[in-house]
Each structure stands twice: as structure tokens, then as C-alpha cells.
Amino acid sequence: MATAASGLSEPQVLARTKDRLFADREDAYVVADTQFAQQRWLDDTPIEAAVQATLAPFNHVRVGTGYPDLVGVQTLSTDLLSVDRLGDRPPLIAIEAKGYTGNGGVDAERGVVQAHDRLNEANVAFLTAPRSGISTAARTMARELNVGVLGVDSDGSVSVLERPRVVGHGSMDAASAIRFQASAQGVADQNFGLNHPKNYIAVPLAVHHEGDTRDLLASHVVRAVDGALAGAAFLNLIDTGQGTLTLTPLGREVVRFALRTVGDIDAALRRFEDWQRSRKRFIDIAPQWGQLVRRVVSDYPATDLLVDGLYACHRDGYGSPSLVEFVAYLHALHPEFTVELFLRGDETVRQRVLTGDGELRRSELTDGSVYHSPTVFQLKAIYYHAGIVTDRGAEPSNLDPETDEWALCDPLA
């Protein structure tokens, strides 16, 4: 890493760029490559703790034929782009950073070529580098290749030197993990605060009812109303946009189910009183409602990935894999998704568990504290109550990853 005398290093450039593009944006999700999670940079110089804290979380996400230094999803301001109209979905953004090296140079042109390669899957690509090290030739190349250029000054300010166009959304695999996290259904935050699915499928009934939604939920279902509403939104049962609660098509199906099986919404909500504080498996004590939960969670984007992974485990002879075995197995199939779903996002955890090349340090997976609670506890409990997995899960503080079982109830032959 370059000294202060020779200019900004690549990690410093990237941290300032992330602050400029992604800081304090609730609609964004962004990860830095795992090489920046290591203690030392390429020439064995330490990476500052403040820089790592800014760049976290980390993941090794393949976009195009390589791994961008920064990849994220969010709606970009028009000053960063050469067009105003962006379409309905926020673009996938890939950023390649360059800094001053030990010989005092900045390889900006190579960064432009790398950024251009990312446009095979990303919608927008940028080179970011110290402003003083970006040549006219690099800027000309960037304009020809539709790569944006950001210049970082020594005071930390970031200037837009070349504005790119947004290119169309293509089919994605690895990068879709970042899209998933940036969506309302990602698991980056504590989205499933409650571990019983009845609390979520009751929400559409309360929203449809002419009474006060929050009062109905508190009196018939659960006192943790905010958690119920948040989980229902993540399961795509309600839309919370513009300060109002409205039913999604899936939420309306829940209401139709209740009317068809119970008769009216009041009677359906009273049924939920019988299930309060019950620890029995939901699909066993309320088979029809349990099947409804299974239908709802099957629409959750992470479900197909996890169920297919468990089926593959079973097919390959791992009938009842432990959490450690399942995460290692799933990482070989879908590394980016596995990291986002299972590992906590702070830099200390991903430093411990991931190498600079994004590989797992399997020995670290035996520590329950590295896991993401919304997946290993709340989401797994929902799957348990829906009759999908055999075990209900545990809080990371009580989790033994080597004995925690991840297996399908009905694995098929």
C-alpha cells in the first residue's frame, strides 16, 4: 500500500468512493471484495481499521469474468450518470479501484478495462482512482467503453470525471445475491424478528379488516406488532410504501384462504388467539394453515436456494447435514449467496471466516457467533413450522453448528 507521501492507496480510494456513492442510503446494499477484509494489503502494508470498517461487509462476488472491488445495488443520483431515466429497478453497480503503488504510479487504464468487463453482468461500471493519477488516455478509453470515472482527491472528495450510461439488465447468478440483499426481502438486517410464521400470515387479515390493524394484531396475534409487520413485508404479504399498508397479490390470497376455510375475518383472527405462545409445530396443530405458510415461504427468494441445496446434500449422501457441513456444501454451489445468507456482515466475522480469495475457513464455522440470526434461527424456525426442515434452529448464542441439523422433512428419493 502506498505511503501518504506517494498518494492514496487502493483501499483508501475505495473507502472514500463508497462513502460518496452509498453512505446513508436505506435503499442500497453494497459489499467490498474479501481482499480488503485481510489485515494487510498487497505489499504487506496494514489496511487501516477505519478503512475496513467503512468497506464492510465483504464478499467475493463474481461479475463478468472477475471480481469487482465494490459491487452494490442502489438508485444513483443523476449527476453520476449520462442519462436521467433509470427504469424501475436500481442498477447493479460494479466499481474497480486503483491507487498509488510502491513505484508511484496509478494503473488507471487497466482499471478501465477491468470495469468494462463487469458490464457483461452489471448495469453500471466505474473506475475510481486518485484524481491526480488519472490520465487523459484513461478518460478517453473510459468514454469509448462506457465506463464511468471517479477522481478522488487527497482531502477525500470525489469528483465525477466521466459519466456512464446504464445498460440493460441481463441474467445474473452471483450478482443476484447482491440484488437480493438490496431488495425488501434481503437478510442484511434483522428482518424476521419473530420466529413463528403465524405472526406474519395474520397481518393480511388485520390489514383487510376494517378495524385498526395494529390493535387487531396486538389483541389477537402478538404484541410485537412492528416485528409482525416487518416480517409480513419481507414475505411479500403487504406493501408498506408511502406510509400506508396495502395487500400484495400474495396477501390477498391469504385473505381469500381465510374466508374460504373459516368464513369471515373476525373468526379467522380469533383462531390466532388459540395459537399464542404455542411451541408445537404449526403444521401439526393447524395443518391447513401450515400448508398456507408453506405456500407463502416457498415464494421467498431464499427458499428455493436452501431447499435445492438440502436436496443436493441428501442426493450426495448427506442425509442430515450439520450447519457446518451444509454451509460448506452450499458455498461450493453458490458462494456469494451462502455468505450473504449465513454469515454476519461485520468485518470481524468475515475477516475470520473468509480468505482473501473468498474461500471458507471451515474451522471458523464451528463458532455459532459467526452466523446470521435471521437465517439460522428465525427463518429456520419458519421452515420448521411449515414442515420443510426437521429442526427448529437456535439463537447464535446457543448454537452448536456441528450438531445443528439442516435436513428436509421430505427429501424425496
Side-chain angles (χ1 to χ4, degrees):
M1 186 163 69
T3 65
S6 58
L8 293 166
S9 69
E10 186 170 320
Q12 291 168 337
V13 165
L14 198 62
R16 286 158 173 76
T17 302
K18 181 182 177 182
D19 273 342
R20 168 68 170 82
L21 269 61
F22 294 95
D24 301 322
R25 294 292 297 270
E26 295 182 357
D27 64 340
Y29 187 75
V30 57
V31 295
D33 189 69
T34 48
Q35 63 181 320
F36 299 100
Q38 308 311 301
Q39 296 294 334
R40 295 180 176 274
W41 188 232
L42 301 179
D43 65 355
D44 209 34
T45 305
I47 300 177
E48 301 98 313
V51 168
Q52 287 188 323
T54 297
L55 292 176
F58 303 99
N59 201 344
H60 197 50
V61 182
R62 187 179 180 89
V63 181
T65 64
Y67 298 86
D69 295 321
L70 204 68
V71 58
V73 172
Q74 79 160 31
T75 301
L76 291 173
S77 58
T78 55
D79 68 306
L80 291 162
L81 301 168
S82 63
V83 293
D84 294 335
R85 190 171 183 81
L86 306 180
D88 295 332
R89 290 200 301 169
L92 181 76
I93 305 155
I95 297 174
E96 292 292 342
K98 296 298 175 186
Y100 279 102
T101 61
N103 62 15
V106 176
D107 199 355
E109 293 183 23
R110 180 167 178 264
V112 170
V113 173
Q114 290 173 318
H116 178 254
D117 171 78
R118 312 306 178 233
L119 288 174
N120 289 326
E121 294 186 15
N123 305 116
V124 183
F126 287 96
L127 161 72
T128 183
R131 185 170 183 171
S132 57
I134 301 173
S135 66
T136 301
R139 291 183 59 172
T140 300
M141 180 187 293
R143 282 196 300 272
E144 293 173 349
L145 296 178
N146 189 31
V147 170
V149 178
L150 304 173
V152 182
D153 288 309
S154 57
D155 63 0
S157 61
V158 180
S159 302
V160 184
L161 304 182
E162 301 293 339
R163 293 173 172 80
R165 301 182 308 279
V166 178
V167 299
H169 298 285
S171 60
M172 282 166 284
D173 182 16
S176 60
I178 307 305
R179 282 202 179 281
F180 171 68
Q181 286 289 37
S183 74
Q185 295 178 318
V187 295
D189 298 314
Q190 296 285 335
N191 47 29
F192 292 115
L194 307 173
N195 58 19
H196 202 303
K198 69 166 179 67
N199 299 315
Y200 304 132
I201 61 169
V203 171
L205 309 183
V207 170
H208 181 73
H209 196 284
E210 62 184 12
D212 182 82
T213 297
R214 298 182 69 89
D215 288 347
L216 289 165
L217 290 171
S219 59
H220 294 292
V221 185
V222 65
R223 294 195 177 277
V225 172
D226 288 339
L229 294 174
F234 286 117
L235 288 172
N236 197 31
L237 295 170
I238 59 170
D239 188 339
T240 59
Q242 300 180 343
T244 60
L245 301 177
T246 57
L247 295 178
T248 64
L250 186 60
R252 290 194 290 272
E253 282 302 306
V254 171
V255 173
R256 294 185 183 104
F257 169 87
L259 293 174
R260 186 170 61 252
T261 57
V262 182
D264 65 79
I265 298 300
D266 284 302
L269 284 169
R270 286 195 294 272
R271 291 287 303 275
F272 283 82
E273 296 177 13
D274 298 334
W275 301 323
Q276 288 182 347
R277 291 175 293 279
S278 173
R279 288 187 54 82
K280 295 181 179 179
R281 197 175 206 171
F282 193 50
I283 201 167
D284 293 334
I285 63 173
Q288 286 183 300
W289 289 87
Q291 288 295 336
L292 174 66
V293 169
R294 190 178 184 117
R295 159 75 176 85
V296 169
V297 299
S298 292
D299 269 14
Y300 184 64
T303 300
D304 281 348
L305 179 84
L306 293 173
V307 170
D308 285 351
L310 289 171
Y311 173 69
C313 269
H314 173 80
R315 183 191 59 207
D316 288 348
Y318 299 93
S320 299
S322 68
L323 177 58
V324 172
E325 292 170 330
F326 180 49
V327 168
Y329 186 96
L330 193 64
H331 187 267
L333 300 176
H334 305 285
E336 296 83 4
F337 258 113
T338 303
V339 169
E340 297 300 330
L341 284 170
F342 282 95
L343 299 183
R344 287 172 47 206
D346 64 82
E347 68 270 24
T348 56
V349 166
R350 296 199 180 178
Q351 280 175 349
R352 286 177 54 193
V353 180
L354 299 173
T355 69
D357 293 327
E359 297 300 318
L360 292 177
R361 295 186 176 99
R362 183 163 174 151
S363 61
E364 299 293 343
L365 296 178
T366 62
D367 181 357
S369 69
V370 306
Y371 292 95
H372 195 51
S373 177
T375 299
V376 300
F377 181 38
Q378 287 96 343
L379 184 58
K380 189 182 180 188
I382 292 170
Y383 289 155
Y384 169 79
H385 282 292
I388 295 174
V389 299
T390 58
D391 187 63
R392 73 169 68 237
E395 287 272 20
S397 59
N398 299 320
L399 182 65
D400 181 355
E402 294 182 286
T403 61
D404 184 61
E405 180 180 276
W406 281 72
L408 293 174
C409 293
D410 305 298
L412 304 180

